[in-house]
Amino acid sequence: LREAQDRWYSPAAFYLAKVVLDSLTQCFFPLVATAIGYPIMGLNFQSVDRIVWFYAFLALLSNVGAAVGFVVSALVPSVNAALSITPGLVMPQLILCGLFIKVDLLPQPFRAISYVVVVRYALQGVFTNEFVCDTRPECVPEVFRTVSGDACALSPCDFCCDEHEVAASAGVCPILTCDDALRSLSMDGDAIWPSADTNSGTVALNALVLLTLLVF
C-alpha cells in the first residue's frame, strides 16, 4: 500500500509480477516430482510427449492449488481459520473427481458440480495420457484373450495377464490394449467429458479445461 501511494508501481503491476513469479515457482516442484517419480513408477515412456503432458498436468494442478490458497488467505483473518477451511475445499475435489465414485453414478446436483472440479480433469488427463499407445494390428483380442503366463512373450498386445488374473476373469484376460485399460477404469471416450476422437486429443482437451479453470 505504501509503495502504491508513493507511486513506485501500481497494484496491477504488483499483482501481475507476483502471479508470474509464483507460477514459475509452482512449476518447479512438479518438474522435480516428474523427474523422480515418473521413472520410479514405470509410467508410459513410449514417447517424450507422454512425459511432457504428465508434467503439464502436475504443474497446472499445482498452480490451481496455489491460487485456491491465495483466495482462502485473502478471505479469512487467521492461519487457523484457513487450516479449518482447507479440508472442506479438498475433500469435495477428491469425492467428485471420479476416482472413488464414477461421475455417471453421482446423484444430482453433485454430478453437475463435478464439472467445475479441477481434480476431475487432471485425473482424466493423466489416466488417458498413461494409456496412449500404438496397439499393433496383430493384437486380435479374440485370439489372445486366453493367453497368459509364459505364453505372454508371444503376445503382440500391449498387456497380458498372468494365470491368476485369467482364472479370476472366467478364463479370459480382460485387458489387452490401452483402450481396454481405459474402459476398465471408466475413463474411455464414452465415459468422460471432454473427450476427442483420439486419446491424445482427449489429453489435450482436459489440459485446456484445466487451464481455463485456473485462469477463471
Side-chain angles (χ1 to χ4, degrees):
L1 181 61
R2 181 181 302 172
E3 289 84 353
Q5 290 176 344
D6 292 340
R7 296 185 179 181
W8 288 5
Y9 47 76
S10 66
F14 172 80
Y15 172 77
L16 291 175
K18 183 170 179 58
V19 167
V20 171
L21 181 61
D22 288 338
S23 296
L24 293 176
T25 303
Q26 292 299 326
C27 288
F28 172 73
F29 295 106
L31 181 62
V32 176
T34 301
I36 298 174
Y38 202 92
I40 290 178
M41 292 184 287
L43 298 180
N44 191 344
F45 270 100
Q46 192 173 71
S47 69
V48 178
D49 292 350
R50 307 280 67 80
I51 305 174
V52 172
W53 277 117
F54 181 84
Y55 164 71
F57 279 105
L58 286 189
L60 286 171
L61 196 59
S62 176
N63 278 279
V64 169
V68 172
F70 288 142
V71 172
V72 172
S73 64
L75 293 177
V76 298
S78 65
V79 175
N80 290 332
L83 294 176
S84 300
I85 292 174
T86 300
L89 297 175
V90 173
M91 290 306 298
Q93 297 275 337
L94 298 177
I95 294 173
L96 302 179
C97 70
L99 179 61
F100 301 107
I101 305 174
K102 296 179 182 179
V103 174
D104 291 341
L105 299 180
L106 291 172
Q108 295 291 8
F110 299 108
R111 191 186 309 167
I113 296 174
S114 71
Y115 282 95
V116 294
V117 171
V118 294
V119 179
R120 170 182 174 175
Y121 303 105
L123 187 72
Q124 291 176 172
V126 169
F127 275 40
T128 306
N129 180 66
E130 173 61 20
F131 294 108
V132 172
C133 51
D134 298 324
T135 302
R136 297 168 62 181
E138 295 86 0
C139 178
V140 181
E142 292 75 12
V143 176
F144 294 98
R145 287 287 183 198
T146 56
V147 173
S148 62
D150 295 336
C152 286
L154 303 175
S155 174
C157 299
D158 303 316
F159 304 102
C160 190
C161 299
D162 59 29
E163 291 87 349
H164 300 291
E165 292 169 333
V166 170
S169 302
V172 296
C173 182
I175 300 175
L176 292 178
T177 67
C178 287
D179 289 336
D180 289 339
L182 288 174
R183 276 191 294 270
S184 70
L185 295 168
S186 297
M187 291 287 176
D188 58 305
D190 296 331
I192 64 174
W193 184 93
S195 62
D197 294 335
T198 63
N199 288 341
S200 296
T202 299
V203 172
L205 285 177
N206 279 274
L208 179 60
V209 173
L210 191 55
L211 179 61
T212 303
L213 290 174
L214 170 62
V215 173
F216 291 100

